[in-house]
Amino acid sequence: QVQPVESGGGSVQAGGSLRLSCVLEGYMSLPKSTGWFRQAPGKGREGVASIYNRGDIRPLYADSVKGRFTISSDIVKNTVYLQMNSLKPEDTGTYYCARSPALGPTLDKDEYNDWGRGTQVTVSS
């Protein structure tokens, strides 16, 4: 089954960094848009960052991660990354990658179809 595959999660202390990777295995090319979402225990899934892979449009970030997280893509490797710096305990959760046909970055999860299985990020204080 074709789906995004996330990796790079782990456990870090507050202030640390992680880089998540999302490989779009089986796809001929990167989707129009790719997003990273996260879900903490007992909470809903929230959009973290999104990138439009077909043009020069600035990525979109949730206010809670602006200035700390950076999303980027590698067209050759069919991979999207999420660099997370200055991590906080409230960043803890399962991080998911998803693809969207949207013609621009979006943090609306309803705009996304294929989802990965997620990678766990735990930030301790």
Side-chain angles (χ1 to χ4, degrees), residues 41-59:
K43 294 188 177 181
R45 192 168 298 188
E46 64 170 341
V48 174
S50 175
I51 187 168
Y52 180 61
N53 299 307
R54 305 289 177 86
D56 191 17
I57 300 177
R58 286 186 177 180

Side-chain angles (χ1 to χ4, degrees), residues 9-51:
S11 297
V12 296
Q13 289 192 329
S17 299
L18 285 172
R19 188 176 82 153
L20 306 184
S21 298
C22 171
V23 179
L24 285 303
E25 293 185 347
Y27 298 102
M28 295 296 292
S29 63
L30 285 175
K32 292 183 176 67
S33 295
T34 310
W36 283 98
F37 292 76
R38 67 187 179 190
Q39 188 164 13
K43 294 188 177 181
R45 192 168 298 188
E46 64 170 341
V48 174
S50 175
I51 187 168

Side-chain angles (χ1 to χ4, degrees), residues 12-16 37-41 43-44 46-48 62-66 68-69 84-95 120-125:
V12 296
Q13 289 192 329
F37 292 76
R38 67 187 179 190
Q39 188 164 13
K43 294 188 177 181
E46 64 170 341
V48 174
D63 288 343
S64 59
V65 307
K66 282 181 182 177
R68 300 188 297 121
F69 290 11
M84 306 187 296
N85 298 328
S86 302
L87 282 162
K88 304 176 181 180
E90 50 264 44
D91 294 319
T92 294
T94 302
Y95 282 69
Q120 178 66 34
V121 171
T122 303
V123 184
S124 58
S125 57

Side-chain angles (χ1 to χ4, degrees), residues 57-122:
I57 300 177
R58 286 186 177 180
L60 190 62
Y61 297 95
D63 288 343
S64 59
V65 307
K66 282 181 182 177
R68 300 188 297 121
F69 290 11
T70 303
I71 188 171
S72 61
S73 60
D74 185 325
I75 295 175
V76 175
K77 295 182 178 180
N78 254 17
T79 301
V80 177
Y81 303 97
L82 185 68
Q83 178 66 42
M84 306 187 296
N85 298 328
S86 302
L87 282 162
K88 304 176 181 180
E90 50 264 44
D91 294 319
T92 294
T94 302
Y95 282 69
Y96 299 90
C97 173
R99 61 193 301 264
S100 168
L103 297 178
T106 174
L107 297 181
D108 182 354
K109 61 181 181 295
D110 293 332
E111 298 275 359
Y112 290 81
N113 34 43
D114 296 343
W115 292 81
R117 295 184 177 182
T119 184
Q120 178 66 34
V121 171
T122 303

